[in-house]
C-alpha cells in the first residue's frame, strides 16, 4: 500500500487485500486517515485474484475512501493509468 498525503487529501494506492492478521491495523489506519483529510482510494486487482477476492478488495477500498465517489478500482495498472485525470480532478478540484 502506498499513501500520499497533503493537508486536504490523502491518496491510497493498493494492489492487494488486507491479511486477516492485519485487519485491526487496517481499521485503525482508515479511521485515522479519514480524521485528518479526505481519502481517495485507488486499487488494482491482485494478480490471479478470484471474484470473491476482487469483491473483498473493492469493499476494503470503499471502507478506506471518504465516499463512493472517492473510490477507484481497475483490473490492471494500465487501466488505472487511463483514469488518472478523473482521479486527479476528484482529489484536487479546481474551483
Amino acid at each position: 500500500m502506498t499513501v500520499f498525503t497533503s493537508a486536504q487529501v490523502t491518496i491510497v494506492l493498493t494492489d492487494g487485500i488486507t491479511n486477516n492478521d492485519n485487519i485491526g491495523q487496517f481499521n485503525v489506519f482508515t479511521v485515522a486517515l479519514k480524521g485528518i483529510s479526505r481519502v481517495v482510494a485507488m486499487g488494482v486487482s491482485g494478480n490471479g485474484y478470484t471474484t470473491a477476492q476482487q469483491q473483498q478488495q473493492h469493499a476494503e477500498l470503499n471502507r478506506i475512501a471518504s465516499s463512493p465517489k472517492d473510490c477507484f478500482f481497475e483490473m490492471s495498472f494500465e487501466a488505472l493509468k487511463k483514469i488518472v485525470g478523473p482521479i486527479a480532478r476528484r482529489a484536487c478540484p479546481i474551483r
Side-chain angles (χ1 to χ4, degrees), residues 51 84 93:
T51 300
V84 167

Side-chain angles (χ1 to χ4, degrees), residues 29-39 62-67:
F29 177 74
T30 57
V31 170
L33 282 178
K34 288 179 184 180
I36 61 170
S37 67
R38 193 174 97 245
V39 181
N62 277 311
R63 287 202 328 254
I64 294 168
S66 292
S67 76

